Amino acid sequence: MLDFLIEFFTDYGYIAVFGILILCGFGLPVPEDITLVSGGVISGLDLANPHFMVAVGMAGVLIGDSTMFLLGRIFGYRIQRIRTFRKILSPRRFSLIQRKFKQYGLGLLFVARFLPGLRSPIYLVAGMSRRISFITFILMDGLAAIISVPVWIYLGFFFANNLDLLMEYVGDVQKAIYLGIGLLFAIIGIIYLKKKFHGRLNAIGAENADSDAKTEDKTEDNVTLKDDSTALNSSTKTRAKSADKS
């Protein structure tokens, strides 16, 4: 794949990189990281400017991702009736992504950039939900792209003359990214469970407080009732004594 992309990009330059990245956003089965690395390689071979290649890469990934988000936003759940998108977003995958959004929120948008195969479905669901504004989407996706795009392009740029070593480093970076994602999910999961646990404790505390308050109210009512009863008896006795004297 790397050799093919390098040859293709050598012939057609920036336009080819830009086009492939947009198609990657539509779910094209071409690894986005290898596409960016290939763009970096032709820059390292003095066939392109690496800094301009970063700009082209950023534009390609953001436009591709935004297109998927906006398609979900415009068509909503009707998009699942289209065969092409039904393959990308199966009912099972749709349910899974919805659950993950409830659990991880906007963090899932950030992490999606590093999840090949799930990126496009996640962006579609984000648009379909209508709970996330386009500006928020661009900010989260852009933040992730600022990290990933330069890393892959400059990695290809610096190791353009040694493709075997380059692929070893690509594998190492991928492992590091997945490890980082795993740690991030673990941290978010711990925070989520901690909040849920504290929320449950607060709810139990509130229930106990209400129960205690009701008990105190009943006690006060009983005391008041006894006082009223005592006062009534005293009044009755007083009237009775007065009647006897009369």
Side-chain angles (χ1 to χ4, degrees):
M1 178 65 71
L2 180 65
D3 293 334
F4 169 77
L5 288 175
I6 291 173
E7 182 178 352
F8 182 61
F9 294 163
T10 297
D11 293 335
Y12 299 100
Y14 300 114
I15 296 297
V17 176
F18 181 75
I20 292 294
L21 288 172
I22 289 180
L23 292 176
C24 286
F26 280 89
L28 181 72
V30 174
E32 187 178 273
D33 50 2
I34 299 300
T35 301
L36 293 167
V37 167
S38 301
V41 169
I42 67 169
S43 300
L45 298 176
D46 295 328
L47 299 174
N49 182 288
H51 311 305
F52 189 69
M53 184 63 73
V54 169
V56 170
M58 287 290 296
V61 299
L62 290 178
I63 291 175
D65 296 345
S66 298
T67 301
M68 295 301 285
F69 176 86
L70 291 173
L71 284 172
R73 189 68 171 266
I74 294 169
F75 292 100
Y77 296 98
R78 292 174 297 169
I79 202 168
Q80 291 180 300
R81 300 174 187 172
I82 303 174
R83 181 178 298 178
T84 301
F85 291 101
R86 193 162 58 242
K87 291 179 180 179
I88 297 175
L89 188 63
S90 64
R92 181 180 178 183
R93 182 175 285 181
F94 176 72
S95 299
L96 173 64
I97 294 173
Q98 277 194 319
R99 290 197 302 271
K100 294 303 180 182
F101 261 119
K102 290 180 180 178
Q103 185 174 0
Y104 299 110
L106 293 178
L108 186 62
L109 280 181
F110 176 83
V111 173
R113 167 123 307 281
F114 308 98
L115 298 176
L118 288 176
R119 186 183 304 122
S120 296
I122 289 174
Y123 295 154
L124 272 176
V125 174
M128 292 164 65
S129 69
R130 298 182 182 274
R131 297 176 182 175
I132 301 170
S133 68
F134 181 68
I135 293 176
T136 300
F137 171 79
I138 285 293
L139 287 175
M140 296 303 296
D141 190 40
L143 181 61
I146 287 174
I147 298 173
S148 65
V149 172
V151 166
W152 293 123
I153 288 178
Y154 286 120
L155 187 65
F157 173 76
F158 287 115
F159 294 96
N161 294 313
N162 192 337
L163 297 184
D164 292 333
L165 183 61
L166 171 62
M167 291 309 297
E168 289 183 16
Y169 280 121
V170 167
D172 292 339
V173 172
Q174 287 174 332
K175 291 177 183 177
I177 289 174
Y178 294 145
L179 178 61
I181 291 173
L183 290 174
L184 180 62
F185 273 125
I187 292 171
I188 295 175
I190 291 172
I191 294 173
Y192 172 79
L193 291 175
K194 186 177 179 181
K195 287 183 177 180
K196 193 172 182 179
F197 177 72
H198 283 299
R200 181 58 181 163
L201 286 180
N202 292 334
I204 293 174
E207 289 176 1
N208 291 337
D210 289 341
S211 178
D212 292 341
K214 289 178 180 178
T215 302
E216 290 178 2
D217 290 340
K218 287 181 179 179
T219 302
E220 289 178 358
D221 290 342
N222 290 334
V223 171
T224 302
L225 184 59
K226 285 182 179 180
D227 291 342
D228 292 343
S229 178
T230 302
L232 180 60
N233 290 335
S234 298
S235 178
T236 303
K237 288 179 181 179
T238 301
R239 288 198 297 270
K241 287 180 181 179
S242 298
D244 291 340
K245 289 180 180 181
S246 299

